[in-house]
Amino acid sequence: MPREEGDVTIQPRVGLNLSTMNDYNKTKPGYAFGMEMEYQMTDMLSLSAALMYSDQGAKDDEDGIEEVLDIDFVNLPIMLNCYVLPGLALKAGVQPAFRTKTTVRFDGKKYDVDWLLERAGYGDSKMSKVMFSIPVGLSYEYRNFVLDARYNIGVTDFLKGEGTMRNHVFQLTLGYKFDIQL
């Protein structure tokens, strides 16, 4: 259904992440879920903001030892949406993210990364608590169902003081838009 200037919607969403990082050789699947609010500024442009819980990270398999880095975030994507055709939107924005947990598994044993860095003597190296990325993508809406595909380009480093370690995430979500009256 075409949106008009001034329309406001909320959209619960759930989906799949495929994430990786520099220096890791495998993609890690994860989940994403949350809620988005969208304000239609014109018939072609809208602004959206969301609160998404996102399971990200990466995998590596070297010398037969599998390492799985599991990093959970609360993401706050703020997107400008340009509706180029009815229901089809191109999207770009900024996304601050707040780290909630970080674990790493080596051969089935799970460790807290902050504890591991401290214990291994990397006192100056800390995992960033706040990250930023640039999400770009597109979405298609049909009968209030929205299929959203985006790529989150990591722009801040995870590990302070240890070179470039950035997360890159492909995210595919399905949501349903509800009109709300303000």
Side-chain angles (χ1 to χ4, degrees):
M1 158 173 120
R3 305 283 174 204
E4 297 177 0
E5 184 178 329
D7 284 354
V8 178
T9 60
I10 59 169
Q11 179 189 158
R13 296 175 23 191
V14 63
L16 170 71
N17 289 335
L18 297 173
S19 63
T20 190
M21 294 178 68
N22 309 43
D23 299 332
Y24 282 77
N25 62 19
K26 290 187 176 180
T27 300
K28 178 192 171 295
Y31 55 86
F33 61 88
M35 184 74 69
E36 180 177 87
M37 180 178 255
E38 183 175 2
Y39 173 72
Q40 199 70 36
M41 298 183 302
T42 71
D43 61 340
M44 283 190 65
L45 294 175
S46 72
L47 188 62
S48 62
L51 180 66
M52 298 289 294
Y53 194 86
S54 184
D55 175 33
Q56 299 171 196
K59 288 183 175 184
D60 199 19
D61 192 356
E62 195 172 305
D63 300 327
I65 298 173
E66 184 178 68
E67 175 185 347
V68 179
L69 183 60
D70 189 21
I71 308 170
D72 288 3
F73 288 98
V74 173
N75 293 332
L76 302 169
I78 301 164
M79 308 286 287
L80 180 65
N81 309 294
C82 180
Y83 286 88
V84 293
L85 294 171
L88 180 65
L90 301 178
K91 303 168 168 260
V94 295
Q95 177 174 278
F98 302 91
R99 182 170 61 99
T100 61
K101 83 167 188 170
T102 308
T103 60
V104 64
R105 284 192 318 259
F106 297 105
D107 281 338
K109 295 179 183 170
K110 188 185 270 190
Y111 303 95
D112 177 79
V113 172
D114 292 321
W115 176 86
L116 196 60
L117 285 171
E118 188 176 302
R119 181 138 172 122
Y122 292 102
D124 294 339
S125 298
K126 298 284 184 197
M127 292 290 288
S128 297
K129 299 247 187 241
V130 179
M131 306 297 297
F132 288 92
S133 63
I134 298 172
V136 293
L138 57 93
S139 68
Y140 185 72
E141 178 182 352
Y142 180 74
R143 296 189 177 187
N144 289 21
F145 285 97
V146 180
L147 184 62
D148 185 289
R150 64 181 68 174
Y151 188 72
N152 297 324
I153 304 162
V155 295
T156 51
D157 293 329
F158 274 111
L159 198 54
K160 296 176 185 175
E162 292 297 319
T164 304
M165 256 180 91
R166 297 180 180 159
N167 210 195
H168 304 283
V169 182
F170 173 75
Q171 186 176 77
L172 185 65
T173 60
L174 181 63
Y176 188 86
K177 280 188 179 179
F178 295 94
D179 294 314
I180 61 172
Q181 302 296 318
L182 294 180

